[in-house]
Amino acid sequence: MTERHEQVSEPDTDFDRLIAEARQCHRCPLWQQARQMVFGEGPLDAETMLVGEAPGDREDVLGHPFVGPAGHLLDRALQDVGLDRKGLYLTNAVKHFKFEPRGKRRIHQSPVASEIKACNVWLEAELALVKPKVIVALGSVAARGLTGHVVRIGASRGRPLPFGETSLLVTTHPSAILRMEEPEKSENYALFLEDLRLIPALIAHDSS
Ligand code: URA
């Protein structure tokens, strides 16, 4: 398995060069507010790529994807279905945190279509490098970043779509589950697990 790249020391691989380039990205205004660009992480030969929306507050501070509350829920779900996070490539459709300052707090804002489109060049580059067999879009921003159009989660979940050489699985974003009240929360968590459980069969299907 190719080594995980969490920090860039020497830009001497295609991946390192990509990150170095993305760090200079001014394709949309989000770089001005965020502390840093948060690139994807994971094995470069991962069979599964999980795509989220954009880094949140913790991700912006720490510089890694899915390390805040949504990441903790994702970790729990991966554990519940027996998937090892270390074997997955995790990234976001948009690589800078978007927020509205409110006093000392930074309130998350969803990226708009122009920001998703501007950031697509990095997601495309990650897809070209990793060449996953299965792509999981976590929420509508990720689905839009990948497909270029609006995807309704309810209508698409549980039904993987062909996506180039790969399968695209569209499911709920863990942050959306966190915001729900019971019993909707538990119901949606169970549906999220059902979707994640499809991954091994999709990989096996692709390999056959
Ligand atoms: N939400 C996302 O979509 N991505 C992250 O990395 C964190 C929270």
Side-chain angles (χ1 to χ4, degrees):
M1 190 178 282
T2 312
E3 206 177 303
R4 252 185 117 176
H5 288 248
E6 292 194 335
Q7 282 178 353
V8 184
S9 39
E10 298 153 30
D12 60 359
T13 67
D14 286 350
F15 189 67
D16 292 344
R17 273 190 288 277
L18 194 58
I19 296 184
E21 237 187 282
R23 286 220 165 95
Q24 310 299 322
C25 185
H26 292 182
R27 287 170 179 263
C28 84
L30 294 184
W31 66 276
Q32 298 173 47
Q33 245 196 338
R35 285 200 196 170
Q36 56 187 314
M37 184 279 307
V38 180
F39 212 72
E41 283 181 2
L44 299 181
D45 56 358
E47 292 179 311
T48 306
M49 182 184 283
L50 263 57
V51 183
E53 177 179 308
D57 184 80
R58 291 309 293 157
E59 288 78 15
D60 183 50
V61 171
L62 298 172
H64 302 289
F66 286 103
V67 289
H72 297 150
L73 185 106
L74 178 63
D75 286 345
R76 189 181 125 206
L78 292 173
Q79 207 178 351
D80 284 352
V81 301
L83 288 173
D84 183 0
R85 173 172 170 149
K86 290 197 206 81
L88 311 172
Y89 186 90
L90 279 167
T91 192
N92 284 297
V94 171
K95 309 286 195 262
H96 282 106
F97 179 37
K98 181 175 182 181
F99 63 94
E100 199 181 280
R102 215 172 284 165
K104 286 191 178 158
R105 297 182 61 211
R106 306 193 300 166
I107 309 298
H108 160 269
Q109 304 285 301
S110 277
V112 295
S114 58
E115 293 154 350
I116 299 169
K117 195 170 172 202
C119 214
N120 188 255
V121 61
W122 306 119
L123 184 55
E124 290 289 335
E126 289 174 296
L127 286 167
L129 209 59
V130 179
K131 299 186 184 66
K133 291 180 177 167
V134 179
I135 305 165
V136 183
L138 301 169
S140 55
V141 168
R144 184 165 193 156
L146 288 157
T147 64
H149 54 79
V150 177
V151 178
R152 286 190 41 239
I153 308 296
S156 324
R157 70 178 312 163
R159 291 191 296 121
L161 314 163
F163 187 76
E165 308 273 289
T166 65
S167 299
L168 172 64
L169 192 59
V170 179
T171 187
T172 325
H173 193 288
S175 296
I177 301 176
L178 284 177
R179 285 193 298 269
M180 290 172 189
E181 302 286 345
E182 293 296 354
E184 198 194 359
K185 189 179 205 158
S186 298
E187 287 160 11
N188 276 272
Y189 183 71
L191 290 173
F192 185 51
L193 296 189
E194 253 178 55
D195 288 340
L196 295 179
R197 283 197 183 99
L198 297 172
I199 294 173
L202 290 170
I203 292 174
H205 178 260
D206 188 87
S207 310
S208 61

